[in-house]
Amino acid sequence: MSEPMVIALISAGATLIVTVVTSILNVRTEVFRNKFNTHQKRLETKKESKPPFKQRI
């Protein structure tokens, strides 16, 4: 194989690896964001359903 062909194949491989890693990271970020939002909604629901705190005098 000629040198430009080898360089092109290596570049294509590197691009493919970067694309796959980026896609995996995006999916993991989205999953984390969804879990965080769900947790926040649960906390807000708990806060709303709790009766107000009464202070002792």
Side-chain angles (χ1 to χ4, degrees):
M1 275 199 234
S2 63
E3 189 174 326
M5 181 69 83
V6 171
I7 292 173
L9 288 173
I10 291 173
S11 297
T15 303
L16 179 64
I17 290 170
V18 168
T19 302
V20 168
V21 169
T22 303
S23 296
I24 291 170
L25 290 175
N26 284 341
V27 167
R28 292 189 74 178
T29 303
E30 193 64 32
V31 167
F32 176 77
R33 187 177 294 137
N34 287 339
K35 285 183 180 180
F36 179 77
N37 287 340
T38 302
H39 183 69
Q40 286 294 102
K41 286 178 186 175
R42 266 194 221 142
L43 287 177
E44 289 172 5
T45 304
K46 275 186 178 179
K47 190 183 263 187
E48 290 171 359
S49 66
K50 258 187 173 178
F53 179 72
K54 294 183 180 179
Q55 292 182 341
R56 287 186 168 178
I57 299 176

